[in-house]
Amino acid sequence: MNSINKTNFQLPGQIDLYHGKVREVYRLENNILVMVATDRISAFDVILPLGIPYKGQVLNQIASEFLDATEDIVPNWKIVSPDPNVTIGKSCTPFKVEMVIRGYLAGHASRTYASGKRTLCGVNLPEGLQENDRLPEAIITPSTKADEGHDEDISREVIIDQGIVSEEDYIQLENYTRALFERGSAMANDKGLILVDTKYEFGKDENGTITLIDEIHTPDSSRYFIQDGYEERQRKGKKQKQLSKEFVRQWLIENGFQGKDGQQIPEMSANYVASVSARYIELYEHITGKSFEKASTENMMLRIENNIKAALTKL
């Protein structure tokens, strides 16, 4: 299958290259970053063996659209997106935390709650909730940003007490996080969706300005429910129809894999890979309200490299 699993370009002014779980990050002179969204897919902090065609394009184009739609709230790192899989932007020094915000009891929060715990990242949760219930108010449940391995839950108090982020900066991160979530929720509502939870990453640019970095409101960083029928499904105790990467996590769980030592990643058949690709395209069309236009799979690496180099000459 035609998928972009790894890049290794030599770009003008290149200083280094970082291979993330999904993205390749090229750091160039003059504080420029080139981020290539590959078709790799990760779950439980493990990269799965096969790429998903068009997944990188989906993530890059959704993130690009939402960065443009929220730049009035917080400065972001994007300068230009010269290719369906590429964004070029400002290099920033990242904060070592991810700002996770949750409007509903879903995913990790739901699993924590089901285990009997009523505190998540220092935030107290009320009794009597069931999976996918709306929370009384959106809660921020930050996590550490691990260079390798698993991210870990952390509380606001620990972040500030340990000096991971100054109190002044952290308050600003919280304010930005809530404002972005409010905007994202309103945009989702317009598409018949509920933005359930998401995460944001921030850094500081060369002038010390707090800046939104990485992706935003994509199905890899966010969870969406279908709005129509949500209340009835909750009332009847049925599963919610959702748009996120959770369906991949559930497939792995059902096949005995949660990223724990000794567990084997289940075989990804060609049919399964094609079905995941189709789901990502469906996610794109639901979230953006636009028809997905597949980028050419002919000479993909050459296309990407040429588009990057052409854009760099214009900066």
Side-chain angles (χ1 to χ4, degrees):
M1 286 190 157
N2 291 313
S3 60
I4 302 166
N5 292 323
K6 192 173 185 179
T7 69
N8 195 21
F9 304 130
Q10 295 298 315
L11 302 176
Q14 183 172 322
I15 296 171
D16 59 34
L17 166 59
Y18 170 72
H19 296 283
K21 292 169 188 168
V22 173
R23 288 168 174 77
E24 319 271 54
V25 183
Y26 293 81
R27 189 162 62 93
L28 311 184
E29 296 170 348
N30 300 318
N31 289 305
I32 297 296
L33 279 188
V34 176
M35 193 176 289
V36 181
T38 72
D39 296 324
R40 294 194 298 268
I41 186 166
S42 72
F44 300 113
D45 294 316
V46 174
I47 298 171
L48 303 188
L50 296 180
I52 306 299
Y54 304 109
K55 175 181 176 287
Q57 180 185 347
V58 165
L59 296 187
N60 186 67
Q61 291 187 327
I62 291 175
S64 183
E65 180 160 321
F66 277 106
L67 287 170
D68 291 346
T70 57
E71 61 185 352
D72 61 314
I73 294 173
V74 54
N76 67 61
W77 75 286
K78 178 188 170 184
I79 297 172
V80 65
S81 180
D83 181 273
N85 287 73
V86 178
T87 298
I88 298 176
K90 298 181 295 182
S91 177
C92 298
T93 303
F95 290 102
K96 292 291 187 180
V97 295
E98 292 183 343
M99 300 298 288
V100 182
I101 183 165
R102 306 174 185 277
Y104 294 74
L105 187 73
H108 170 62
S110 177
R111 290 189 285 271
T112 300
Y113 194 87
S115 74
K117 296 178 181 177
R118 294 295 179 266
T119 302
L120 181 62
C121 300
V123 179
N124 294 324
L125 297 169
E127 292 288 346
L129 294 177
Q130 67 178 31
E131 184 179 10
N132 299 331
D133 273 354
R134 183 171 184 171
L135 297 171
E137 62 179 1
I139 61 173
I140 294 176
T141 58
S143 68
T144 57
K145 181 60 180 168
D147 293 327
E148 293 182 4
H150 296 276
D151 298 339
E152 301 287 344
D153 289 344
I154 191 170
S155 70
R156 178 189 201 273
E157 290 71 26
V158 171
I159 289 169
I160 294 171
D161 288 348
Q162 293 187 0
I164 299 170
V165 180
S166 72
E167 183 170 11
E168 180 183 3
D169 283 346
Y170 191 80
I171 290 170
Q172 185 63 73
L173 296 186
E174 285 187 323
N175 291 338
Y176 281 147
T177 295
R178 293 192 183 280
L180 288 167
F181 188 66
E182 184 176 345
R183 176 70 57 79
S185 297
M187 293 177 71
N189 184 66
D190 289 343
K191 301 295 189 299
L193 300 173
I194 296 169
L195 179 57
V196 177
D197 52 42
T198 191
K199 67 175 182 178
Y200 304 111
E201 296 185 46
F202 298 92
K204 283 190 175 181
D205 68 9
E206 60 183 332
N207 298 316
T209 301
I210 293 178
T211 303
L212 178 64
I213 61 174
D214 201 38
E215 63 182 345
I216 170 178
H217 297 161
T218 74
D220 271 20
S221 66
S222 313
R223 191 186 324 268
Y224 293 89
F225 289 158
I226 302 294
Q227 193 178 74
D228 186 36
Y230 165 80
E231 297 288 354
E232 183 179 359
R233 285 189 290 275
Q234 278 304 98
R235 193 167 58 250
K236 294 180 176 178
K238 293 183 175 181
K239 288 186 177 295
Q240 287 297 331
K241 294 179 180 179
Q242 62 175 289
L243 301 176
S244 72
K245 197 173 64 173
E246 186 67 18
F247 72 95
V248 176
R249 298 187 193 97
Q250 288 302 321
W251 176 77
L252 289 168
I253 291 171
E254 289 165 7
N255 285 275
F257 183 81
Q258 294 187 60
K260 297 176 181 176
D261 290 342
Q263 292 182 337
Q264 291 288 326
I265 298 173
E267 180 182 353
M268 298 173 71
S269 68
N271 284 341
Y272 180 71
V273 170
S275 73
V276 177
S277 180
R279 283 289 291 271
Y280 267 89
I281 290 171
E282 178 189 3
L283 291 171
Y284 173 90
E285 294 184 338
H286 269 283
I287 292 167
T288 67
K290 300 176 181 177
S291 294
F292 184 73
E293 297 181 10
K294 294 179 178 179
S296 172
T297 57
E298 187 175 347
N299 296 322
M300 291 186 293
M301 293 300 185
L302 184 61
R303 180 204 85 207
I304 292 171
E305 185 175 14
N306 286 345
N307 284 341
I308 292 171
K309 288 181 175 177
L312 290 175
T313 64
K314 299 174 184 177
L315 296 184

